[in-house]
Amino acid sequence: MRVHIKSGKIRFVIPCPIAFLKFGLSIAGSSFIQKYIPEKDKRYVNMIDFKKLSKCMDILKEYRGLKLVEVKSRDGSHVTIIV
């Protein structure tokens, strides 16, 4: 997965392997991280099933080149997330 960010004359390309995303999802669902989330936001985080989301990442591997997000603003900023 790659994240492309363009703002004015500055461009960033951030590569993020799907294995790192799956590792991050497994950590985000742990009780250790849950205690640092503010109470008002916990209800939103508790709605997410991190195990199923991790399985979805395996399915996304089959769709290389798929654009998940493409956002362009009026000031010329541009963000694209590609599998």
Side-chain angles (χ1 to χ4, degrees), residues 31-67:
S31 61
F32 174 73
I33 300 296
Q34 295 285 330
K35 66 182 179 182
Y36 293 107
I37 298 173
E39 288 296 324
K40 64 178 183 171
D41 297 331
K42 276 191 181 182
R43 64 180 176 163
Y44 300 115
V45 175
N46 290 334
M47 289 182 198
I48 301 170
D49 187 359
F50 289 102
K51 289 181 183 178
K52 287 186 180 180
L53 190 58
S54 179
K55 288 180 184 178
C56 291
M57 289 300 180
D58 288 332
I59 295 170
L60 278 177
K61 286 181 186 179
E62 300 172 9
Y63 297 97
R64 291 195 178 267
L66 176 69
K67 286 186 182 180

